Amino acid sequence: MDILHRIGVRTTEPKKVYDALTTVEGLAGWWTDDTKGTAEVGGVLEFRFLPGGFDMEVVETRPSERVVWRVVDGPEEWVGTTIDWDLQQSGDYTIVLFRHQGWKEPVEFMYHCSTKWGSYLMSLKSLVETGQGAPAPRDVQIGDWH
Amino acid sequence: MDILHRIGVRTTEPKKVYDALTTVEGLAGWWTDDTKGTAEVGGVLEFRFLPGGFDMEVVETRPSERVVWRVVDGPEEWVGTTIDWDLQQSGDYTIVLFRHQGWKEPVEFMYHCSTKWGSYLMSLKSLVETGQGAPAPRDVQIGDWH
């Protein structure tokens, strides 16, 4: 079972979006301040939130086209899932097709993560378009599970 | 294939969320200004955007608990799909579990609709919490497909 999202980032340079997905500084700009690790293929990125976080192995990076992560540590429901980012240019927009795939069951946490990913994608869009994202802990709150 | 979302609306009165899903006035407050039709079971709700829109048959309404719509007219990919809204109270929050089910294929339009639903759910949350939603045409723009 997969979570799917699509946004269009208004830029003629897909590399800007790609950089926001493949550098620690870029990732910290839209997902969470507390981002560490290695963004190259084979490296592990460590994303931390209050409480907990996610460790992602970088599986594939194709400049300005594609990034794939595998979740190697984090909540039980996430471990073993993969996150695909596909970029394609369409006029003035870099289109981001996002897929978080391999959920075993449509648990309530999956519903939450779907909405939360959507709001982080808007943070990514804002980072590239304006220079200012809304990473944790300044992320948009969507309810009791934050 | 389903789109899933979950938000928590900060209110101790789930009826407020239910009313925003089962009255033309409430629906116009968070989804689209141009909402017409009948919100009772068996009625058809007509949601219009620029361009196009959706006609939803109201299949089920269980006060403060559940609303189900079936798409009877609109984009080809939507016709025949159903949209379930399940409400449950958790402390200070009315939890909304949203499911748009029955997509035949994970087409790019499904990715877009997933992100867009997430942003409309935030509009619903805002409407109930503050009295002010962001319905079309004042909705949050997520890219080239709006």
Side-chain angles (χ1 to χ4, degrees):
Chain A
M1 314 206 76
D2 305 346
I3 292 170
L4 310 176
H5 286 292
R6 178 189 188 276
I7 54 164
V9 181
R10 196 175 188 104
T11 176
T12 53
E13 297 173 72
K15 186 175 184 305
K16 285 190 180 173
V17 179
Y18 182 77
D19 287 349
L21 296 172
T22 55
T23 67
V24 168
E25 188 193 356
L27 291 160
W30 66 268
W31 201 17
T32 178
D33 278 358
D34 191 352
T35 300
K36 296 196 184 82
T38 310
E40 277 99 67
V41 171
V44 174
L45 287 160
E46 299 158 29
F47 300 99
R48 292 294 175 272
F49 300 80
L50 283 175
F54 314 103
D55 288 0
M56 309 284 197
E57 182 192 340
V58 181
V59 176
E60 187 179 346
T61 57
R62 211 184 302 157
S64 299
E65 285 185 7
R66 184 168 160 81
V67 176
V68 179
W69 298 335
R70 181 165 36 228
V71 183
V72 291
D73 204 358
E76 187 191 339
E77 299 90 336
W78 279 49
V79 174
T81 62
T82 58
I83 294 162
D84 290 16
W85 304 86
D86 281 296
L87 312 184
Q88 43 192 246
Q89 194 62 24
S90 171
D92 287 345
Y93 288 88
T94 300
I95 304 304
V96 179
L97 290 180
F98 169 94
R99 188 153 49 129
H100 183 174
Q101 56 180 318
W103 288 75
K104 291 199 188 86
E105 301 288 338
V107 290
E108 196 167 336
F109 185 47
M110 182 179 173
Y111 288 69
H112 167 80
C113 293
S114 174
T115 313
K116 199 75 195 177
W117 271 127
S119 100
Y120 281 122
L121 284 161
M122 294 302 286
S123 169
L124 167 64
K125 174 174 163 67
S126 169
L127 175 70
V128 174
E129 292 179 354
T130 72
Q132 184 85 44
R138 297 176 304 289
D139 51 326
V140 174
Q141 301 298 296
I142 66 166
D144 56 332
W145 288 354
H146 313 291
Chain B
M1 315 205 76
D2 305 345
I3 292 171
L4 310 176
H5 286 294
R6 177 188 189 277
I7 55 164
V9 181
R10 196 176 188 103
T11 176
T12 52
E13 297 174 71
K15 185 173 185 306
K16 286 189 179 174
V17 180
Y18 182 77
D19 288 349
L21 295 173
T22 54
T23 66
V24 168
E25 186 194 357
L27 290 160
W30 66 268
W31 202 17
T32 178
D33 278 358
D34 191 351
T35 299
K36 295 195 184 83
T38 311
E40 277 99 68
V41 172
V44 174
L45 287 160
E46 298 158 30
F47 301 100
R48 291 294 174 273
F49 301 80
L50 283 176
F54 313 103
D55 288 0
M56 309 284 194
E57 182 192 341
V58 181
V59 176
E60 186 180 346
T61 56
R62 210 185 300 158
S64 299
E65 285 186 6
R66 186 170 159 80
V67 176
V68 179
W69 298 336
R70 180 165 37 228
V71 183
V72 291
D73 203 357
E76 188 191 338
E77 299 90 336
W78 278 51
V79 174
T81 61
T82 58
I83 294 161
D84 291 15
W85 305 86
D86 281 296
L87 313 184
Q88 44 192 246
Q89 193 63 22
S90 171
D92 287 345
Y93 289 88
T94 301
I95 303 305
V96 179
L97 290 181
F98 169 94
R99 188 154 50 130
H100 183 175
Q101 57 179 319
W103 288 75
K104 292 199 188 84
E105 300 288 338
V107 290
E108 196 167 334
F109 185 47
M110 182 178 173
Y111 288 67
H112 167 79
C113 293
S114 173
T115 313
K116 200 74 195 176
W117 271 127
S119 101
Y120 282 121
L121 285 161
M122 295 303 286
S123 169
L124 166 64
K125 174 174 163 68
S126 170
L127 175 70
V128 174
E129 291 179 354
T130 72
Q132 183 85 46
R138 299 176 305 288
D139 51 326
V140 173
Q141 301 299 296
I142 67 166
D144 57 331
W145 288 354
H146 313 293

